Amino acid sequence: MTAQVNRHTFDEVMVPNYAPAAFIPVSGKGSRLWDQGGNEYIDFASGIAVTSLGHLHPELTAVLHEQVDRLWHLSNTFTNEPALRLARRLTESTFAEKVFFSNSGAEANEAALKLARRYAFDHFGGDKTGIVSCKQAFHGRTLFTVSVGGQPKYTEGFAPLPGNLNHIEFNNLAAAEAAINDGTCAVIVEPVQGEGGVLPATPEYLKKLRELCDKHNALLIFDEVQIGVGRSGSLFAYMHYGVTPDILTSAKALGNGMPIGAMLTTSKIAASFVVGTHGSTYGGNPLACTVADKVIEIINTPEVLQGVHKRHQWLKEGLERINAKYGVFKDVRGMGLLMGAELQGELQGKAKDFVNAGARHGLVVLVAGTNIVRLAPSLVIPETDLQEGLKRLEAVTAELLEKAKAAKEAQPA
Ligand SMILES: *Cc1c(COP(=O)(O)O)cnc(C)c1O
């Protein structure tokens, strides 16, 4: 018999590093979710920008079933067909010539940063170890990636941290010029900062980083864990910007929910990882690679990618419509289907309230910090679901504004 579990079970048996919603989703289809009580939700989160083709996409389910009945696991003592097919597809559709597979975004970035240090060590000796990254950046939760990330609250209490890291202001050309020098081995940047507030890099900024990296023999790493695999409206955001990195990392949407990450690079740089330099037990496992290969096949088509631009427009117009009525957004921004609505006035700092009230209205949304409501729906969300989600978002906005005003009036003058 299956044991009964509910939200209280979480507090009893789970390490308390998350604060999950009060409801527990148990099934999904496309852009809809259902919880234990049978309540239905429109999904504007996709996990956190993970299920980009929606829940239970029939083609993904089909290839996964096929592979489940064939072979689950081999160590990296062997290679496997799904990993090779996926690597070939990734190299054929990007600048990259070589691929390393991991199980998450943090591990893909960990590999990228280690490779950059190793490449500098091989070609320029032991002193070129500096890593430049951006404030507010997010690169994962391993000790190395969290230290390279630009949010001090995530490293508090974890010292001693890896050394020779330098955090600069995002989108600031002069700061980049001042920080990048011959001692720099790598510059890592998210083309669109996700966790940091849904902030796209300016084209000039990424071009400047490319120039400075070339000038100082440093490797340029694009962390596309969140914005990659179609979410920007291009297969990878670097294509939209026309700035090619030396190393690109992917994860999240790559497996549409199957745990997989990838580090993409050139043959010349890849040569610094030789047999034994780096590895992962599960990296490149047949189940995840089978699904990811189908994900890229489906997403890297004009229909899906052009569909992202169309949906971006619908979403943007919907948010602007809500704002015209309630005036709660200071800014509506983002790229493709990674959108952020920055709050102001009565709702300033209340992004999390949108998540909680959303649950009651049958809507799943994300936050980026305390003041930005983040939306990352499926890239193939049907127009009816998207409009229904916007309707629910408007109801949430109206309710929160009402409450905030009532609370203000209840305060003694
Ligand atoms: C989520 C995220 C990561 C970390 O990925 P995990 O799979 O959680 O390790 C790294 N970089 C960016 C930009 C992300 O959004």
Side-chain angles (χ1 to χ4, degrees), residues 114-171:
K114 280 180 71 180
L115 178 60
R117 283 249 170 106
R118 185 69 190 216
Y119 178 84
F121 175 84
D122 288 349
H123 294 268
F124 306 100
D127 293 332
K128 194 175 171 67
T129 61
I131 293 169
V132 174
S133 59
C134 291
K135 292 180 179 163
Q136 297 307 315
F138 185 80
H139 299 300
R141 300 292 201 137
T142 64
L143 194 61
F144 199 176
T145 56
V146 86
S147 305
V148 169
Q151 303 192 45
K153 65 174 191 246
Y154 292 149
T155 48
E156 195 184 308
F158 296 126
L161 305 176
N164 211 1
L165 311 177
N166 189 359
H167 299 92
I168 60 175
E169 196 191 349
F170 183 62
N171 270 343

Side-chain angles (χ1 to χ4, degrees), residues 104-107 109 138-141 190 195 223 225-226 251-252:
S104 68
E107 287 173 85
N109 285 329
F138 185 80
H139 299 300
R141 300 292 201 137
E190 296 160 86
E195 304 299 312
D223 176 348
V225 169
Q226 189 157 156
K252 291 203 164 95

Side-chain angles (χ1 to χ4, degrees), residues 8-23:
H8 297 294
T9 318
F10 181 93
D11 299 328
E12 283 167 28
V13 298
M14 300 286 280
V15 171
N17 62 316
Y18 302 117
F23 66 94

Side-chain angles (χ1 to χ4, degrees), residues 299-319:
I299 289 181
N300 197 17
T301 55
E303 291 130 82
V304 173
L305 295 175
Q306 279 162 24
V308 170
H309 296 292
K310 197 166 61 185
R311 286 168 179 78
H312 168 91
Q313 215 46 42
W314 294 336
L315 198 54
K316 190 156 183 267
E317 284 163 13
L319 290 168

